[in-house]
Amino acid sequence: MTVRTRFAPSPTGYLHIGGARTALFSWAYARKHGGTFILRIEDTDVERSTPEAVQAILDGMNWLGLDHDEGPFYQMQRMPRYKEVIQQMLDAGHAYYCYTSPAELEAMREAQRARGEKPRYDGTWRPEPGKTLPAIPADIKPVIRFKNPTDGVVGWDDMVKGHIEFSNSELDDLIIARSDGTPTYNFCVVVDDWDMGITQVIRGDDHVNNTPRQINILKALGAKVPSYAHLSMILGDDGTKLSKRHGAVSVMQYDEDGYLREAVLNYLARLGWSHGDDEVFSVEQFCEWFDLDHITPSAAQFNTEKLNWLNNHYMKQMDNDKLAAMVRPRLEARGITVADSPALAAVVGLYKERVSTLNELADAAEVFYIDLHPDAALLAEQLSEEAVPALRDFAAKLATASWDAPAISALIKDVITQHGLKMPKLAMPLRVMLTGQKQAPSVDALVVLFPREMVVQRIEKNLAK
């Protein structure tokens, strides 16, 4: 059997972390088994679906590198096929017209709630042998309902959650076409999975209650039922349902916030799945290792600190030239012209172990390419009266110093010895003058990154205030 999986988002919003994890697991399962990964856009919610949301999904998938083998297919373009199958079901007696009005349906449910019963359609228009149906009202456009089995159970061995089953008596007759003729979500999904030969449906566990209805429709059509794997929800850092403040934002927001694709994919892979104690691995390793047996059925918890740690790890491993190429457009977007000196690759190489994101790296790098004005209070806090002559002496001697870290280190030690100072007395105000911050890499490595004249200029400018 050739594995065929699908990712089928609804374009009513962006591609968020939960959807991205579902896409990743479906994609990786297909890649692991040499199968086919299909992208399907479930856009039958005409009022809420937008072209912008479709593009956001495509952009997110592209940024993550989750390439599809077939598609994207759009449900709105498959309407003739859905109507064809609905007619087949009507002809075979698996579906029927229901003329219950919305007002009658609501009154029916209210009465059931009052009796302490589960609200459900009561089967008034369901055809049965020997049953006389009401007269067809002239002013009601009918919906079409699936004739769900009334006895027995419908169940499946979920590849994540184990065996799940529902009593058919708990399932009422699902509407598969609205009164205007448009098919409903649960019906479209069934036809799509059937037509596309989906073998494994990997999706969020918010679909568990849809699954028994979909299985019953597939069986009525004589279609093969796929295997199902329902992924548990993702909780925020505080253990509550993931929201925008936790990270349930567009996948593209992670790109904008300076996260590397490799880090996001690695992090997503570990949200509810594990391979022993391995924390860091490539996409290729993930596809080789991935299975559904090691997905936990309990909720996964989003941890921003862990994502930042992973992102820092991948940044530290990245070639400086490649990293500089990713930081440069972020600086240019701020209106900063990146000069040839200092080389941006050298700057990011010095700072990449100290930051968590590309944006933080751009924050650190920008001070090398702007007319810096350190905070006066911060400079005053770090600049002591006895350090002023030492800094003037240091600036003067820079004119003839060799421009490498060992030479600058030796010069700093010579100056502080001559002036009877401790290292921080010179190093701390120098860091503030050069970067605007008191936390920075070793001062000798920092100094040699700048052009000689820029170091002298920044010292003299700040001492003159």
Side-chain angles (χ1 to χ4, degrees), residues 96-240:
Y96 60 93
Y97 291 104
C98 170
Y99 294 87
T100 302
S101 70
E104 289 172 330
L105 190 59
E106 184 55 35
M108 183 189 304
R109 289 171 174 164
E110 283 297 325
Q112 290 165 339
R113 291 189 190 99
R115 296 193 297 269
E117 300 172 1
K118 180 180 177 181
R120 51 183 291 135
Y121 173 63
D122 67 0
T124 298
W125 290 92
R126 178 183 172 115
E128 300 287 3
K131 177 180 178 180
T132 300
L133 298 177
I136 296 176
D139 57 342
I140 297 293
K141 287 186 177 181
V143 299
I144 299 175
R145 291 184 181 271
F146 169 61
K147 195 175 182 183
N148 195 78
T150 55
D151 55 9
V153 297
V154 53
W156 71 97
D157 292 320
D158 196 278
M159 300 173 77
V160 172
K161 296 181 174 296
H163 187 73
I164 300 175
E165 64 179 37
F166 290 76
S167 170
N168 278 318
S169 62
E170 292 296 310
L171 307 173
D172 58 0
D173 291 351
L174 180 73
I175 295 175
I176 59 175
R178 303 176 184 88
S179 58
D180 63 0
T182 59
T184 58
Y185 164 78
N186 273 300
F187 179 75
C188 295
V189 168
V190 166
V191 177
D192 289 342
D193 286 345
W194 179 30
D195 285 354
M196 296 174 191
I198 302 302
T199 55
Q200 284 80 23
V201 173
I202 302 170
R203 59 188 180 186
D205 65 1
D206 52 326
H207 289 283
V208 165
N209 288 335
N210 293 328
T211 304
R213 300 177 182 279
Q214 294 174 9
I215 290 176
N216 280 340
I217 297 173
L218 283 164
K219 288 181 175 178
L221 291 169
K224 186 171 182 178
V225 177
S227 299
Y228 292 92
H230 289 95
L231 311 175
S232 293
M233 71 167 62
I234 301 172
L235 302 177
D237 295 88
D238 57 1
T240 61

Side-chain angles (χ1 to χ4, degrees), residues 63-78:
W63 182 68
L64 291 169
L66 304 181
D67 55 317
H68 49 276
D69 304 302
E70 295 180 12
F73 298 106
Y74 296 86
Q75 287 185 329
M76 287 302 293
Q77 296 174 6
R78 288 174 46 78

